[in-house]
C-alpha cells in the first residue's frame, strides 16, 4: 500500500548448508558444519526493482560478508576501514566484476555434530581446495565438472593444488586466523 515494494532491496539467503539428516543436499556433498559444498553453499536470491534485471542469474561465488558493504553502497554510504567482504553491486547491476580472485573458509573447530574435519578451504574460479588440519591432506575439486566433490584432483593437478595451498596459508597468516589447539 505504501509503494515500498518497487523501491526495496530484498535479499533471501541462508547461514550455511542444510542440517544433515533433515535436509537433502544432493547433489552437494555433506551438510551443515562441513567444508564441502553441502555445508557452505546456500541459496541467494536478490530482488531490487529498477536495479537488478528480473530473471537474471549469476554464477559468481559470493559470501555473506559481502552483504554489509553491498548494503552500505546501496544506501549511498561508505566505510573507511577495511572490510572482509566486497560490495556485490557490480554483479547485481551486471556492470562489473568483483576485485577478489578467491573466497576463503576457515573452520578450526568442531561443529555441534562433531563429525567434521577441522580445516580451511579456498574457492578460486571453478576450483575448490580443502586443507585438512588433522593430517595436512588436501582435496581439490573442479566444481564446474564435479559439484558433488567426488573426484579429488589434488594428485593429478598437483601444481594447482600447491599454489592454492600456498594462497590459503598466506591468507590465514595475513588475516591472523587462529589455528586449533591440541587438548
Amino acid at each position: 500500500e505504501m509503494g515500498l515494494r518497487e523501491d526495496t532491496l530484498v535479499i533471501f539467503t541462508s547461514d550455511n548448508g542444510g542440517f544433515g539428516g533433515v535436509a537433502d543436499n544432493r547433489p552437494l556433498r555433506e551438510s551443515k558444519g562441513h567444508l564441502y559444498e553441502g555445508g557452505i553453499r546456500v541459496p541467494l536470491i536478490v530482488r531490487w526493482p529498477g536495479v537488478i534485471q528480473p530473471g537474471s542469474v549469476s554464477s559468481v561465488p559470493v559470501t555473506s560478508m559481502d552483504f554489509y558493504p553491498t548494503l552500505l553502497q546501496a544506501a549511498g554510504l561508505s566505510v573507511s576501514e577495511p572490510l572482509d567482504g566486497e560490495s556485490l553491486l557490480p554483479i547485481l547491476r551486471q556492470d562489473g566484476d568483483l576485485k577478489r580472485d578467491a573466497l576463503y573458509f576457515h573452520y578450526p573447530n568442531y561443529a555441534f555434530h562433531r563429525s567434521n574435519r577441522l580445516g580451511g578451504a579456498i574457492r578460486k574460479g571453478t576450483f575448490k581446495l580443502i586443507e585438512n588440519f588433522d593430517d595436512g591432506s588436501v582435496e581439490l575439486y573442479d566444481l564446474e565438472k564435479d559439484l558433488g566433490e567426488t573426484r579429488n584432483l589434488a594428485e593429478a593437478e598437483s601444481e594447482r593444488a600447491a599454489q592454492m595451498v600456498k594462497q590459503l596459508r598466506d591468507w590465514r597468516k595475513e588475516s591472523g586466523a587462529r589455528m586449533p589447539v591440541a587438548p
Side-chain angles (χ1 to χ4, degrees), residues 38-152:
I40 60 175
R41 184 180 285 237
V42 297
L44 175 60
I45 301 171
V46 183
R47 180 184 184 273
W48 195 6
V51 177
I52 299 174
Q53 181 68 33
S56 59
V57 176
S58 173
S59 61
V60 176
V62 301
T63 180
S64 60
M65 292 178 289
D66 295 328
F67 297 148
Y68 180 62
T70 301
L71 295 172
L72 286 175
Q73 188 178 11
L77 302 172
S78 62
V79 174
S80 58
E81 69 262 14
L83 299 173
D84 289 332
E86 185 176 338
S87 174
L88 300 176
L89 288 192
I91 302 300
L92 298 176
R93 291 179 174 150
Q94 298 180 336
D95 64 3
D97 297 315
L98 298 180
K99 294 178 184 115
R100 65 174 171 243
D101 72 337
L103 285 178
Y104 301 91
F105 302 87
H106 186 60
Y107 210 165
N109 55 293
Y110 287 104
F112 64 95
H113 49 66
R114 300 193 58 80
S115 64
N116 63 301
R117 292 177 79 179
L118 310 187
I122 177 174
R123 167 80 190 264
K124 189 171 183 175
T126 64
F127 286 89
K128 179 173 139 195
L129 178 128
I130 298 173
E131 179 185 21
N132 298 300
F133 294 156
D134 57 356
D135 62 3
S137 63
V138 296
E139 302 170 44
L140 179 67
Y141 301 100
D142 183 345
L143 298 178
E144 186 173 70
K145 296 176 183 171
D146 182 22
L147 187 60
E149 296 169 295
T150 61
R151 293 180 300 281
N152 182 356

